[in-house]
Amino acid sequence: MRIDLHTHSTASDGTQSPAALVLEAAHLRPRLDVLGLTDHDTTSGWDEAEAAACEHGVTLVRGVEISCEREGHSIHLLGYLIDPTFEPLIAELALARESRVTRLERMVELLVADGIPISYAAVLAHVPPGATPGRPHLADALVTTGLVPNRDEAFARWLYNDSPYYVAHYAPDPARAVELVLMAGGVPVIAHPYAVRKGLVPVPGLIEELAALGLAGVEVDHPDHSAEARRELRSLTAALGLFATGSSDYHGAGKRNWLAEETTAREVFEEIAHLGTGVGVVRP
Ligand code: AMP
Ligand code: FE
Ligand code: FE
Ligand code: ZN
């Protein structure tokens, strides 16, 4: 049974529609049995994914990837099976999405001031209707303007986290996000703790702190994690009684990785399904 619990669609910065993503899962060989849809700061892809999952016989775990921030550093929290109508969480996600707009406008201004010919209108042309706007859409605009060949190159040259063109957006503290996910009946799992620059927020301390608040799991296997990072996270999760997930963080053609590149154990998936009460797993 193959299970991939972290993917993105055109509801945020993935390049495939939710239905196309589900179809790809169904057509993978060996097939992907369980797909988690976790777009950045939105649940707007859920309905389309659910319909496609029923049609193609793919088990669907509906989730969200919440952008959080602590001391200026970005931390991502996965919230599985949350109630998408839980008002405090909806409000927090809406705030983050709105501030992502002003933040991208500011990044465009900084690029323009340095002679890089780009416009916010060009960025908007790459944001699908209703999608959470992000740096990858700005990268797409830089690609179509002919300034770089692909998203990766746009990130390497201008959009990386320490770049002088980087602007932060509003994001809740991870402790608050864990609390909101739990109140929404969801299962909080910290995403790729070591995919961000190492050593900034002390990761073991953060995971311990969040575990005390009810964090359920850690994304241990992730394409951006070294073998050493995985070893450390695996022993930490075991010591804290958390479960370990593995996921591709697939973004379609937007990043050099593939669906089901990393996978989660069946028992862990069943535990998530059991713990989540906000919505159920879609089992066609
Ligand atoms: P944002 O949330 O707007 O700050 O953008 C962060 C997102 O950019 C991440 O979730 C990734 O999807 C994407 N990203 C980060 N680095 C790269 C890269 N090198 N190439 C393509 N996409 C990237
Ligand atoms: Fe992303
Ligand atoms: Fe992430
Ligand atoms: Zn992600």
Side-chain angles (χ1 to χ4, degrees):
M1 193 173 182
R2 294 219 300 165
I3 301 159
D4 185 348
L5 294 178
H6 180 169
T7 66
H8 295 266
S9 74
T10 48
S12 64
D13 56 5
T15 60
Q16 285 159 306
S17 67
L21 193 58
V22 170
L23 194 64
E24 183 174 341
H27 287 174
L28 265 191
R29 287 296 170 263
R31 137 192 210 97
L32 186 60
D33 304 284
V34 182
L35 174 76
L37 178 68
T38 53
D39 276 303
H40 297 287
D41 303 321
T42 186
T43 60
S44 69
W46 280 18
D47 291 351
E48 184 183 318
E50 181 180 359
C54 293
E55 186 180 342
H56 301 288
V58 173
T59 298
L60 177 71
V61 178
R62 291 167 286 181
V64 64
E65 183 174 18
I66 306 175
S67 315
C68 306
E69 195 190 288
R70 164 86 52 102
E71 290 155 19
H73 305 303
S74 165
I75 292 151
H76 287 173
L77 184 79
L78 296 161
Y80 294 112
L81 306 174
I82 51 165
D83 171 1
T85 68
F86 180 64
E87 202 49 59
L89 182 54
I90 293 180
E92 200 69 19
L93 297 179
L95 213 55
R97 288 197 306 270
E98 281 156 28
S99 114
R100 281 169 163 280
V101 172
T102 27
R103 168 274 192 134
L104 280 179
E105 286 171 340
R106 184 73 194 123
M107 286 186 74
V108 166
E109 280 171 20
L110 292 173
L111 288 162
V112 168
D114 241 10
I116 299 153
I118 192 79
S119 70
Y120 189 66
V123 177
L124 268 189
H126 289 279
V127 183
T132 302
R135 278 181 284 165
H137 302 116
L138 172 51
D140 291 344
L142 292 162
V143 172
T144 35
T145 312
L147 296 164
V148 280
N150 52 48
R151 276 187 180 182
D152 268 341
E153 193 57 30
F155 270 85
R157 281 182 71 176
W158 296 309
L159 307 183
Y160 54 94
N161 290 349
D162 288 320
S163 155
Y165 308 108
Y166 180 82
V167 177
H169 59 82
Y170 167 78
D173 185 85
R176 172 72 182 147
V178 165
E179 191 178 75
L180 283 168
V181 167
L182 290 171
M183 287 191 301
V187 186
V189 174
I190 189 164
H192 50 67
Y194 278 127
V196 277
R197 294 158 304 161
K198 202 168 175 168
L200 290 175
V201 174
V203 167
L206 176 71
I207 293 175
E208 268 180 58
E209 175 196 333
L210 298 180
L213 298 173
L215 182 76
V218 176
E219 192 174 66
V220 171
D221 291 314
H222 182 278
D224 294 347
H225 280 173
S226 66
E228 186 201 344
R230 293 172 197 226
R231 269 197 301 276
E232 183 197 302
L233 290 171
R234 216 176 294 286
S235 60
L236 183 65
T237 51
L240 293 171
L242 306 176
F243 58 70
T245 65
S247 307
S248 66
D249 200 357
Y250 184 59
H251 280 71
K255 249 179 162 179
R256 266 182 256 126
N257 73 331
W258 58 94
L259 192 59
E261 182 176 346
E262 309 275 357
T263 52
T264 293
R266 182 183 191 144
E267 313 79 70
V268 172
F269 156 64
E270 293 299 352
E271 188 174 346
I272 292 172
H274 175 72
L275 289 172
T277 55
V279 288
V281 169
V282 177
R283 298 181 196 256

